[in-house]
Amino acid sequence: MECDSKLFGISDYCIENKILHNLTLELNTKCNLDCIHCYIPHKVSYGMSTEKVLSIIDEADALGVLNVTLTGGEIFLRDDILDIISYIRRKYMRVFLISNGTLLDRDIIRQLRALNVAELGISLYSTNESIHDHITRRTGSFRKTMSAIMCALTEGLRVVVKTPVMTKNIHTVREIRTFCNDHGIDAEFTCFITSKNNGDNSPRRFQITDKRGFLEFLVSTMDKQSFLKEVKPKNLESNLCKYCKNSIYIDSEGNVFPCNSFLIKIGNIFEDPLKSIWEESTILKKLQEAKYSDITGCSECSLGSYCSFCPGFSYLEYGDYLVCSDENKMYSECRREYHNMILKGLI
């Protein structure tokens, strides 16, 4: 716990001083699953060469990056994945992995544990096999994913279950949380399903859109004490997205963005060094300075204490990161209602 507090302190320092601290690297878009809600339009790219990936790690290391998240696609489809992880660890950078878990066996998991991988994030859509496999559109994927989770726990590798909550699985979310609690697994839930990166909004049909659904999400996933700590007045002069000041995302084609949820292109690693993009991008500087007061109507809104506005989601859906969506307003209203339910002892 003390170590975590110190790491959070480093992160805050980097935000305050605009020091690059976190790198998320999309190694590929190729995937062995075909999830109904996936934001990747074409799951065919193997990604950049090993040499290019390692050179990016060198550049990130020179800038002081501590945390590297590797995502896909499915990263374990790459033949060089363990070599990449090993290279990052030799530079004493922390490695976070995001995977569907279906390609992991005990041998691979033991190698990840030996490399002291900080976290293995595994997507789990339900503890009900048929629902999970329906979402992945691959029969047998549930059993492989669960096998990977249990094997990782047995081998002492930290696992975080990651669950996008949508209309297809919201009625099983409580079971996921119970499963995670019973096995000492951290769980991360989100109720926002985005369009594909090419603008195709077909995944949005699985988005929760009604107050009843949002309240069910909050009741099923939120820790009450943690939620109460989040409820506080919004400082309109605070940064719209503080992570623009210490994080960056590079996709499998070398395009650079503030975040994998905030797809405003700020450069390309094949055209400019990472240092130049981080320190000189005029677009990034503008995003780093954006404030809540820049959003039309934000100062008059009564939901500020409950707002979880993400400029990246707004940009992806509306092409404007300074627009607050009706969906976000509804979710904020539900957060206020959830808060009142806690205060009245109803939950």
Side-chain angles (χ1 to χ4, degrees):
M1 189 65 71
E2 182 181 353
C3 179
D4 287 342
S5 298
K6 289 180 179 178
L7 289 172
F8 280 120
I10 294 172
S11 180
D12 291 340
Y13 177 85
C14 290
I15 289 170
E16 183 179 346
N17 293 279
K18 298 181 183 177
I19 298 171
L20 187 57
H21 185 61
N22 307 304
L23 167 67
T24 298
L25 186 56
E26 182 186 66
L27 292 180
N28 58 1
T29 62
K30 191 174 182 179
C31 189
N32 59 325
L33 304 183
D34 188 25
C35 297
I36 59 176
H37 64 287
C38 185
Y39 61 86
I40 297 175
H42 306 295
K43 305 177 185 69
V44 295
S45 173
Y46 181 80
M48 293 176 279
S49 68
T50 306
E51 292 73 23
K52 186 60 179 177
V53 171
L54 300 187
S55 74
I56 292 172
I57 298 303
D58 288 338
E59 292 187 66
D61 181 43
L63 287 170
V65 168
L66 176 63
N67 301 318
V68 179
T69 299
L70 302 179
T71 187
E74 173 47 52
I75 59 175
F76 286 95
L77 284 170
R78 285 191 63 128
D79 297 332
D80 59 357
I81 181 61
L82 292 174
D83 294 329
I84 291 172
I85 296 170
S86 179
Y87 188 81
I88 298 170
R89 290 297 297 131
R90 288 201 298 273
K91 292 181 174 291
Y92 301 102
M93 302 160 89
R94 302 170 77 218
V95 177
F96 298 77
L97 307 176
I98 300 177
S99 169
N100 59 46
T102 59
L103 301 177
L104 299 178
D105 57 25
R106 189 169 299 276
D107 178 61
I108 293 174
I109 287 172
R110 282 178 173 172
Q111 290 184 67
L112 298 179
R113 181 67 184 88
L115 288 167
N116 287 310
V117 165
E119 176 182 299
L120 173 61
I122 295 184
S123 303
L124 179 66
Y125 303 111
S126 177
T127 53
N128 180 300
E129 181 174 356
S130 62
I131 294 174
H132 180 95
D133 287 359
H134 173 75
I135 291 174
T136 65
R137 292 193 278 213
R138 292 292 185 271
T139 301
S141 62
F142 171 78
R143 294 187 183 185
K144 293 176 181 178
T145 292
M146 288 297 289
S147 176
I149 291 173
M150 300 312 295
C151 181
L153 290 177
T154 301
E155 295 298 331
L157 184 61
R158 180 171 186 260
V159 176
V160 175
V161 160
K162 296 178 180 289
T163 305
V165 180
M166 56 195 113
T167 55
K168 295 291 185 179
N169 66 346
I170 187 169
H171 55 291
T172 68
V173 170
R174 291 176 191 253
E175 287 77 10
I176 295 177
R177 188 174 180 187
T178 298
F179 165 76
C180 291
N181 288 341
D182 289 347
H183 291 86
I185 302 172
D186 289 333
E188 296 176 359
F189 301 93
T190 178
C191 63
F192 291 102
I193 306 299
T194 64
S195 299
K196 293 181 184 292
N197 291 348
N198 64 354
D200 177 0
N201 64 3
S202 59
R204 296 278 294 159
R205 68 187 185 275
F206 305 113
Q207 168 70 47
I208 297 168
T209 57
D210 61 291
K211 285 188 176 181
R212 181 177 179 179
F214 280 134
L215 274 173
E216 174 64 19
F217 169 81
L218 290 167
V219 172
S220 300
T221 65
M222 285 288 180
D223 174 78
K224 288 187 287 187
Q225 295 306 314
S226 298
F227 177 82
L228 290 173
K229 292 178 182 179
E230 295 177 5
V231 178
K232 52 188 175 183
K234 179 79 72 181
N235 178 3
L236 294 177
E237 295 309 307
S238 62
N239 291 114
L240 201 56
C241 181
K242 63 182 181 180
Y243 299 111
C244 285
K245 292 186 171 185
N246 78 340
S247 304
I248 215 161
Y249 166 66
I250 302 175
D251 74 10
S252 60
E253 296 180 351
N255 297 309
V256 185
F257 306 91
C259 167
N260 61 344
S261 296
F262 202 172
L263 298 179
I264 293 183
K265 184 178 175 181
I266 60 174
N268 186 285
I269 203 69
F270 287 100
E271 299 170 4
D272 296 292
L274 183 58
K275 178 179 173 64
S276 297
I277 296 171
W278 177 252
E279 296 180 351
E280 300 173 14
S281 169
T282 55
I283 298 174
L284 181 59
K285 291 181 186 298
K286 183 177 180 181
L287 299 177
Q288 289 173 335
E289 299 307 317
K291 298 178 174 59
Y292 284 98
S293 57
D294 296 328
I295 302 175
T296 302
C298 193
S299 60
E300 294 82 30
C301 182
S302 62
L303 298 169
S305 297
Y306 307 96
C307 181
S308 58
F309 175 79
C310 172
F313 290 159
S314 288
Y315 181 76
L316 191 58
E317 300 305 328
Y318 302 103
D320 186 346
Y321 61 89
L322 294 177
V323 170
C324 183
S325 67
D326 291 338
E327 196 171 83
N328 182 67
K329 292 175 183 175
M330 181 186 295
Y331 182 58
S332 299
E333 289 173 358
C334 290
R335 285 170 60 88
R336 179 170 61 187
E337 186 170 340
Y338 177 67
H339 184 214
N340 290 333
M341 291 168 66
I342 295 174
L343 296 180
K344 293 177 182 179
L346 299 178
I347 53 175

